[in-house]
Amino acid sequence: MKTKAVQFIPIAFILLSVGFVYFSQWCTSPGYMCYRTWLDGIFIDVLNPLYFFALYSLPGALIISFVPRRIFISWLKLAAWALPLALIFIALTPVNWMGIGLDLYPFYRDDAARLAGQIFSGMSIILIIWKYIVARRKSPKMSS
């Protein structure tokens, strides 16, 4: 049971990330006047992209919670290199357009977080299906 509980860590982290974004705007979201907190200061730079990345990664994390341990280990190897690359991609994308004239780069940090979350979730689901099919193909040969 202890080893199966480890597989619920990605879904717990994603749900905590989504909940933290809602918690971080407890004062400014309803329209009350309050002092600007440090969470409000990093909302556009960090929290909003975190929310979109977590939201779009949710399907893959939900599926990975219920797969066999061998498939989870394979997914963990994927996540070990894909998550840092996704975070670097998101961090290098500009937050918003602050120039004068034409907007030549209409792709911002929120869009990068959505795209990285979709790609990561898609790669996770493809890897899970592929490993499941390979495991099913090998199991009948082993028994005969």
Side-chain angles (χ1 to χ4, degrees):
M1 184 65 181
K2 187 182 201 182
T3 59
K4 193 68 171 170
V6 172
Q7 290 182 222
F8 286 96
I9 291 175
I11 192 76
F13 179 72
I14 286 175
L15 292 176
L16 285 174
S17 298
V18 170
F20 182 70
V21 169
Y22 284 115
F23 169 75
S24 68
Q25 291 201 329
W26 67 273
C27 185
T28 57
S29 188
Y32 300 123
M33 288 294 289
C34 65
Y35 295 109
R36 189 170 171 91
T37 63
W38 65 275
L39 289 174
D40 291 332
I42 65 168
F43 182 76
I44 293 175
D45 298 335
V46 177
L47 296 179
N48 208 21
L50 174 70
Y51 170 75
F52 286 121
F53 183 78
L55 195 63
Y56 282 94
S57 298
L58 185 63
L62 188 61
I63 292 171
I64 204 67
S65 300
F66 301 105
V67 297
R69 185 73 174 170
R70 289 177 294 164
I71 296 175
F72 177 74
I73 297 297
S74 297
W75 175 84
L76 205 55
K77 291 176 184 176
L78 169 77
W81 65 267
L83 284 177
L85 285 177
L87 294 178
I88 290 170
F89 171 64
I90 294 168
L92 291 178
T93 308
V95 176
N96 56 13
W97 181 61
M98 296 190 299
I100 299 172
L102 294 175
D103 187 10
L104 299 175
Y105 192 67
F107 186 75
Y108 304 117
R109 192 167 288 174
D110 294 344
D111 302 324
R114 286 184 194 106
L115 180 64
Q118 289 170 353
I119 290 173
F120 180 67
S121 187
M123 286 173 37
S124 298
I125 292 170
I126 289 171
L127 177 78
I128 291 166
I129 292 170
W130 180 62
K131 289 290 184 177
Y132 182 74
I133 290 171
V134 167
R136 294 278 305 214
R137 231 186 260 167
K138 286 183 180 179
S139 64
K141 291 179 184 176
M142 298 289 253
S143 63
S144 52

